[in-house]
Amino acid sequence: MNSTSSAGSPDLLQELRNALRQFAAERDWDQFHSPKNLAIALNVEAAELLEHFQWLSDAESAAIPPEKQIKVRQELADVLLYLVRLADKLDVDLAVAAAEKLDLNATKYPIDKARGSSKKYTEL
Amino acid sequence: MNSTSSAGSPDLLQELRNALRQFAAERDWDQFHSPKNLAIALNVEAAELLEHFQWLSDAESAAIPPEKQIKVRQELADVLLYLVRLADKLDVDLAVAAAEKLDLNATKYPIDKARGSSKKYTEL
Amino acid sequence: MNSTSSAGSPDLLQELRNALRQFAAERDWDQFHSPKNLAIALNVEAAELLEHFQWLSDAESAAIPPEKQIKVRQELADVLLYLVRLADKLDVDLAVAAAEKLDLNATKYPIDKARGSSKKYTEL
Amino acid sequence: MNSTSSAGSPDLLQELRNALRQFAAERDWDQFHSPKNLAIALNVEAAELLEHFQWLSDAESAAIPPEKQIKVRQELADVLLYLVRLADKLDVDLAVAAAEKLDLNATKYPIDKARGSSKKYTEL
């Protein structure tokens, strides 16, 4: 994946970052948005997302009923919003970071070794 | 925020989604990528991110040293990668979901009531 | 379950609480042990525990190899240690709290309604 | 700490383990209680606990109002209940594991090196 491929186009993550900056500024919330607090919020939302799949089989988790889908969708959004806000506070460009990490993962998990295996790269 | 603003332009989240699809296909990993398992992975990565801020004051969490920044950046990327992959498996358009949730948050946290307060909307 | 049944006998949770108090005092760690920080630590340890079961099937999670068992055992211990320490800082008697919650759960999940179901009590 | 000090006395953790066994058996819940699922449940409860301290300062987290204390107390209990249940399913004696881990921590964090420091043992 080319980490510069989105340059020059309207970037959704940047739009979202800007919208969240304004949202926080209007409410005087920057005082609460330390990276530590945002990382906590991210974890709380991630766990609320996980709760929807708790006790389900893998197959059931892939076929959740419509009313649950709406909630899951909102939890996914919450995770993204806090992630974008946290990255902003840490001056991290999420798009570049994700592209770099994907490249790194390709090195850690070479196709021939990783195929069909769920082992951690340290155990491959 | 206009949820359709990214239509027609190369979309970073879609690029990432496609790259992750290919990454999983090449490694025959779809068998492990149930929404339940991906939600677990998301939580594990979110906690690894949080670990970097553990025991720090809010101020310290906003001024982490360079070598820690590199790791934090990778954890942020990991969270995004699993989030994009999970949303794909659930057929959720993250961009639209985030825009909708931001609108909902604006309703739950009206500026005049929420200004300077960290209370949950149910307690405002 | 009788919440007073352990009164008068050496209580493991109290022993553990006392040992942790001494451990922190000797290292001048009380300054770091706010309930907020201890709750973060508890979450980080809980996620490290979960990581060991990530990608496993339910059956595999019930038959982990010996070298992994040792690590899982340590993560279980870490969760208990932080839980006991956090409860101490909040002046909560874990034994009484657990007995009370178990009674509450019995009310929320009556046997005839809950049998064989993994639904949340609000959906029973 | 002497890991055998509670031998011969009624052991609260064992009582709790037995009560939870009965609770699950009466509701035919063993089918859902794989270690994987219980580890998920433990994480979800730990995050619900953390949510109560979200956005609070350290000082505020040490002085939560009474109505919140009741909820926090229940979340602490939930974490303990799932922890005991998970340890049971993994055949781990939590009391022994905690005593051993505390001994290990004393080695990893020698008093003279760890005093007043929140650094991880690998960085001391």
Side-chain angles (χ1 to χ4, degrees):
Chain A
M1 196 179 136
N2 182 351
S3 63
T4 60
S5 62
S6 62
S9 67
D11 180 326
L12 178 110
L13 291 176
Q14 284 180 346
E15 280 178 35
L16 213 49
R17 183 201 63 190
N18 294 341
L20 288 168
R21 281 185 188 176
Q22 189 186 334
F23 198 94
E26 286 169 350
R27 285 159 186 78
D28 194 18
W29 279 0
D30 277 282
Q31 59 183 314
F32 306 119
H33 287 187
S34 67
K36 180 178 178 176
N37 277 350
L38 291 167
I40 293 173
L42 181 69
N43 272 267
V44 168
E45 296 301 336
E48 289 181 2
L49 179 60
L50 181 57
E51 190 182 1
H52 290 288
F53 302 110
Q54 201 181 13
W55 311 123
L56 300 189
S57 70
D58 289 326
E60 287 167 340
S61 82
I64 51 175
E67 70 276 13
K68 214 172 183 175
Q69 274 180 38
I70 295 170
K71 290 182 186 172
V72 164
R73 185 187 168 84
Q74 292 187 346
E75 304 294 358
L76 287 166
D78 280 331
V79 173
L80 182 59
L81 294 175
Y82 278 121
L83 182 65
V84 168
R85 183 78 178 134
L86 175 54
D88 186 21
K89 287 291 182 180
L90 293 168
D91 276 325
V92 168
D93 184 321
L94 268 182
V96 176
E100 285 177 2
K101 190 55 170 51
L102 202 50
D103 283 348
L104 182 60
N105 286 351
T107 312
K108 287 160 88 175
Y109 296 95
I111 292 174
D112 59 327
K113 276 194 175 175
R115 199 195 307 272
S117 165
S118 64
K119 283 189 183 164
K120 202 170 176 175
Y121 70 98
T122 49
E123 297 168 0
L124 279 178
Chain B
M1 199 179 133
N2 182 350
S3 64
T4 61
S5 61
S6 62
S9 66
D11 179 327
L12 176 110
L13 292 177
Q14 284 182 344
E15 280 178 36
L16 213 49
R17 182 200 63 189
N18 294 341
L20 288 167
R21 281 185 187 176
Q22 190 186 334
F23 197 94
E26 286 169 351
R27 284 158 187 79
D28 194 17
W29 279 1
D30 277 283
Q31 59 183 312
F32 305 119
H33 286 188
S34 67
K36 181 179 177 175
N37 278 349
L38 291 167
I40 292 174
L42 181 70
N43 272 266
V44 168
E45 296 301 336
E48 289 181 3
L49 178 61
L50 181 56
E51 191 183 1
H52 290 287
F53 302 110
Q54 202 181 11
W55 310 124
L56 300 189
S57 69
D58 290 325
E60 287 167 339
S61 81
I64 52 174
E67 71 276 13
K68 213 173 183 175
Q69 275 179 39
I70 295 169
K71 290 182 186 171
V72 164
R73 184 188 170 82
Q74 291 186 347
E75 303 295 358
L76 287 166
D78 280 331
V79 173
L80 182 59
L81 295 175
Y82 279 122
L83 182 65
V84 168
R85 183 79 177 135
L86 175 54
D88 186 20
K89 286 292 182 180
L90 293 168
D91 276 324
V92 168
D93 184 322
L94 268 182
V96 175
E100 286 177 0
K101 190 54 170 53
L102 201 51
D103 284 347
L104 182 61
N105 286 351
T107 312
K108 286 161 89 176
Y109 295 95
I111 292 175
D112 59 327
K113 275 194 177 176
R115 198 194 307 275
S117 165
S118 64
K119 284 189 183 163
K120 200 169 178 175
Y121 70 96
T122 48
E123 296 168 359
L124 280 178
Chain C
M1 197 180 134
N2 183 350
S3 64
T4 60
S5 60
S6 62
S9 66
D11 178 328
L12 177 110
L13 291 177
Q14 284 182 344
E15 279 178 37
L16 214 49
R17 183 201 63 190
N18 293 342
L20 287 167
R21 281 184 187 176
Q22 191 188 333
F23 198 93
E26 286 169 351
R27 284 158 187 80
D28 194 17
W29 279 0
D30 277 282
Q31 59 182 313
F32 306 118
H33 286 187
S34 67
K36 181 178 178 175
N37 278 348
L38 292 167
I40 292 173
L42 181 69
N43 272 267
V44 168
E45 297 301 336
E48 289 181 3
L49 178 61
L50 181 56
E51 191 182 1
H52 290 288
F53 302 110
Q54 201 181 9
W55 311 124
L56 301 189
S57 69
D58 289 325
E60 288 167 339
S61 81
I64 52 175
E67 70 275 13
K68 212 171 184 177
Q69 275 178 39
I70 295 170
K71 290 182 186 172
V72 164
R73 185 189 170 83
Q74 291 187 346
E75 303 295 358
L76 287 166
D78 280 332
V79 173
L80 183 59
L81 294 175
Y82 279 121
L83 181 65
V84 168
R85 183 78 178 135
L86 175 54
D88 186 20
K89 287 291 181 179
L90 293 169
D91 276 325
V92 168
D93 184 323
L94 268 182
V96 175
E100 285 176 0
K101 189 54 170 51
L102 201 51
D103 284 347
L104 183 60
N105 286 351
T107 312
K108 286 160 89 176
Y109 295 95
I111 292 174
D112 59 328
K113 276 194 177 177
R115 198 195 307 273
S117 165
S118 65
K119 284 190 183 164
K120 200 169 178 177
Y121 69 97
T122 48
E123 297 168 0
L124 279 178
Chain D
M1 198 180 134
N2 182 351
S3 63
T4 59
S5 61
S6 62
S9 66
D11 180 326
L12 177 110
L13 291 176
Q14 285 182 344
E15 280 178 35
L16 213 49
R17 182 201 63 190
N18 294 341
L20 288 167
R21 280 184 188 176
Q22 190 187 335
F23 198 94
E26 286 170 350
R27 284 160 188 79
D28 194 18
W29 279 0
D30 277 282
Q31 59 182 314
F32 305 118
H33 286 188
S34 67
K36 180 178 178 176
N37 278 348
L38 291 168
I40 292 174
L42 181 69
N43 272 266
V44 168
E45 296 301 335
E48 290 182 1
L49 180 60
L50 181 56
E51 191 182 0
H52 290 288
F53 302 110
Q54 200 181 13
W55 312 122
L56 301 189
S57 69
D58 289 326
E60 286 167 341
S61 82
I64 52 175
E67 70 275 14
K68 213 172 183 176
Q69 275 179 39
I70 295 171
K71 290 181 185 171
V72 165
R73 185 190 170 84
Q74 291 187 347
E75 304 293 358
L76 287 166
D78 279 331
V79 173
L80 183 58
L81 294 175
Y82 279 121
L83 182 65
V84 168
R85 184 78 177 134
L86 174 54
D88 185 21
K89 287 291 181 179
L90 293 168
D91 276 324
V92 168
D93 184 321
L94 268 182
V96 175
E100 285 176 1
K101 190 55 170 52
L102 202 51
D103 284 347
L104 182 60
N105 286 351
T107 311
K108 286 161 88 175
Y109 296 95
I111 291 175
D112 59 328
K113 276 194 176 175
R115 198 196 306 274
S117 166
S118 64
K119 284 189 183 163
K120 202 170 176 176
Y121 70 99
T122 48
E123 298 167 0
L124 279 178

